[in-house]
């Protein structure tokens, strides 16, 4: 028992020290109304549950001490079986707490729904997000620019993220500003967010999607409206590096550039083994494709700016994965059904 207590205390101390030495207490340090509301909801739930946890721990210690073998004054009741008072306490209090938690969960689920627009006097900024193979692509449809692994938006302005994936399922997450929302191929999810003040916030993928998913990190810059407009103008003019000297400036993001952005999803040793063991045409084709893509990344893709974007690129990515349902197959199926109905009408 003593060893267990010492182990728990040691781990708690280490966690506290690590947090104090550069840790990020995101839950207690939110910078937007959505994240703040979620934080308050979470802390309220924790406090309510502590109303059961703390008394239970104290009573467990007190009971052990009171009814120890050496305490001859403790009541000994071997035939005791039931207490209405105890039943009311151990069932009534948890039921009340669960009812309160259920109400808070219902209220919070609607109030902080990621699809719910944020009320503001300012018009929202729309940003289309694409989870690409081990990187994030941000398209600004109104400004007609795009970025990789960096997103900028004005402070105190609602941001409407429209999210999809050009890869496997992923999860878009900026902890200090909002909750996480999944990015899925062939689907469009949404996340409404607002930053209370200027700052640089950490964004990343919170869903495992392959060997390189740990490199899916980006920075979210909340800037003044003037700085945002200057940045947009610089990127459109091909001078985005004047704002971020570490970024790479490119002319246009189109389907060809999008295909070139894909990273490899195998390690160097796996690719070498595939090439060595490839005998059939199919195996050789897979090995050549793996060699062309290269190994999975070991560091995030550099921040990249695009002066222009191919029109409707975001919608085109979604349609690519929906072609089997709404493309030629769907049209042919609809034509066949129409012919069947027409034949049936003639026969009648």
């Amino acid at each position: 028992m003593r060893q267990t207590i010492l182990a728990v205390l040691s781990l708690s101390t280490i966690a506290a020290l690590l947090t104090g030495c550069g840790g990020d207490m995101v839950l207690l340090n939110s910078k937007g109304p959505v994240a703040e509301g979620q934080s308050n909801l979470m802390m309220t739930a924790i406090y309510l549950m502590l109303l059961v946890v703390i008394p239970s721990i104290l009573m467990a210690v007190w009971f052990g001490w009171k009814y120890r073998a050496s305490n001859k004054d403790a009541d000994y009741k071997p035939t005791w079986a039931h207490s209405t008072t105890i039943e009311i306490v151990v069932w009534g209090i948890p039921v009340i707490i669960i009812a309160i938690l259920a109400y808070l969960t219902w209220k919070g689920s609607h109030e902080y729904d990621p699809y719910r627009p944020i009320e503001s006097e300012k018009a929202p900024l729309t940003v289309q997000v694409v989870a690409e193979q081990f990187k994030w692509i941000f398209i600004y449809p109104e400004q007609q620019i795009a970025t990789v692994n960096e997103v900028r938006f004005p402070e105190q302005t609602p941001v409407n993220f429209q999210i999809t994936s050009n890869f496997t399922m992923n999860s878009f997450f900026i902890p200090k500003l909002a909750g996480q929302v999944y990015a899925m191929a062939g689907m469009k999810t949404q996340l409404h967010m607002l930053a209370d003040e200027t700052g640089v916030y950490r964004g990343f993928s919170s869903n495992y999607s392959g060997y390189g998913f740990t490199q899916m990190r980006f920075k979210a810059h909340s800037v003044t409206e003037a700085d945002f407009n200057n940045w947009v103008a610089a990127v459109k003019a091909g001078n985005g590096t004047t704002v971020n000297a570490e970024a790479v400036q490119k002319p246009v993001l189109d389907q060809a550039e999008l295909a070139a952005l894909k990273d490899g999803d195998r390690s160097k040793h796996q690719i070498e083994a595939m090439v060595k063991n490839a005998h059939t045409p199919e195996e050789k084709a897979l090995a050549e494709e793996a060699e062309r893509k290269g190994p999975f990344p070991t560091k995030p893709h550099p921040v990249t700016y695009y002066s222009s974007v191919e029109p409707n690129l975001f919608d085109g990515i979604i349609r690519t994965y929906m072609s089997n349902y709404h493309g030629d197959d769907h049209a042919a199926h609809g034509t066949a059904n129409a012919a069947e109905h027409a034949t049936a009408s003639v026969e009648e």
Side-chain angles (χ1 to χ4, degrees):
M1 182 65 179
R2 181 180 298 176
Q3 292 179 344
T4 302
I5 294 175
L6 290 175
V8 172
L9 291 176
S10 299
L11 291 173
S12 301
T13 303
I14 292 172
L17 289 174
L18 289 175
T19 301
C21 298
D24 191 359
M25 295 288 287
V26 176
L27 185 63
L28 304 178
N29 192 25
S30 54
K31 297 297 182 180
V34 177
E36 183 180 4
Q38 293 173 340
S39 174
N40 293 336
L41 180 63
M42 181 67 69
M43 295 309 300
T44 301
I46 291 174
Y47 295 147
L48 285 171
M49 289 184 286
L50 287 177
L51 293 177
V52 173
V53 173
I54 292 177
S56 298
I57 294 174
L58 294 177
M59 286 189 293
V61 175
W62 181 68
F63 287 164
W65 174 257
K66 178 176 176 61
Y67 295 103
R68 67 191 186 279
S70 60
N71 185 9
K72 305 302 182 181
D73 296 329
D75 295 334
Y76 178 62
K77 298 180 179 180
T79 59
W80 181 87
H82 177 76
S83 171
T84 302
T85 302
I86 292 177
E87 292 287 345
I88 293 174
V89 172
V90 300
W91 287 103
I93 294 178
V95 166
I96 294 173
I97 292 176
I98 290 172
I100 297 173
L101 288 174
Y103 169 75
L104 292 175
T105 302
W106 177 85
K107 181 176 180 293
S109 297
H110 290 81
E111 188 172 353
Y112 306 114
D113 181 1
Y115 279 62
R116 180 179 179 180
I118 296 176
E119 296 181 1
S120 174
E121 296 179 355
K122 295 183 178 181
L125 170 69
T126 299
V127 180
Q128 297 169 335
V129 183
V130 181
E132 188 49 82
Q133 194 157 333
F134 310 134
K135 61 183 65 67
W136 292 98
I137 298 175
F138 301 94
I139 301 172
Y140 293 75
E142 298 166 356
Q143 291 75 20
Q144 281 299 299
I145 62 172
T147 65
V148 175
N149 282 352
E150 181 185 282
V151 59
R152 290 177 184 254
F153 43 81
E155 62 171 336
Q156 298 293 335
T157 298
V159 183
N160 175 20
F161 287 112
Q162 299 175 356
I163 307 168
T164 191
S165 175
N166 195 31
F167 182 40
T168 185
M169 187 172 75
N170 230 294
S171 183
F172 180 75
F173 196 18
I174 307 176
K176 282 192 176 182
L177 298 178
Q180 65 87 25
V181 171
Y182 284 109
M184 294 171 282
M187 299 181 65
K188 180 173 71 175
T189 54
Q190 296 186 51
L191 175 65
H192 289 84
M193 186 195 76
L194 183 145
D196 290 330
E197 58 190 47
T198 60
V200 181
Y201 307 109
R202 180 170 56 103
F204 56 90
S205 166
S206 61
N207 189 80
Y208 180 76
S209 56
Y211 286 111
F213 95 101
T214 55
Q215 309 309 326
M216 294 185 70
R217 304 194 298 270
F218 64 91
K219 291 183 177 179
H221 295 257
S222 173
V223 298
T224 64
E225 189 168 354
D227 287 343
F228 176 76
N229 293 332
N230 291 336
W231 172 75
V232 171
V235 172
K236 289 180 73 70
N239 299 319
T241 53
T242 58
V243 179
N244 183 354
E246 298 179 356
V248 177
Q249 178 74 54
K250 290 189 176 183
V252 60
L253 177 63
D254 53 15
Q255 289 290 351
E257 177 67 15
L258 189 68
L261 283 173
K262 284 190 177 294
D263 289 315
D265 53 5
R266 295 179 174 86
S267 69
K268 179 181 178 181
H269 300 295
Q270 287 176 315
I271 295 174
E272 291 174 350
M274 288 179 67
V275 173
K276 181 179 179 180
N277 299 322
H279 301 295
T280 67
E282 292 79 8
E283 291 175 342
K284 291 180 180 180
L286 288 174
E288 290 176 0
E289 179 68 12
E291 277 190 308
R292 184 187 66 79
K293 289 183 177 181
F296 61 80
T298 55
K299 59 181 180 180
H301 189 280
V303 173
T304 307
Y305 298 147
Y306 292 94
S307 302
S308 61
V309 183
E310 177 182 310
N312 300 318
L313 180 62
F314 181 80
D315 294 331
I317 293 172
I318 296 177
R319 285 195 298 269
T320 299
Y321 295 91
M322 297 301 291
S323 59
N324 290 334
Y325 302 97
H326 299 288
D328 297 336
D329 294 343
H330 181 78
H333 183 67
T335 303
N337 286 339
E340 290 177 2
H341 288 300
T343 302
S345 298
V346 171
E347 290 176 353
E348 291 177 356

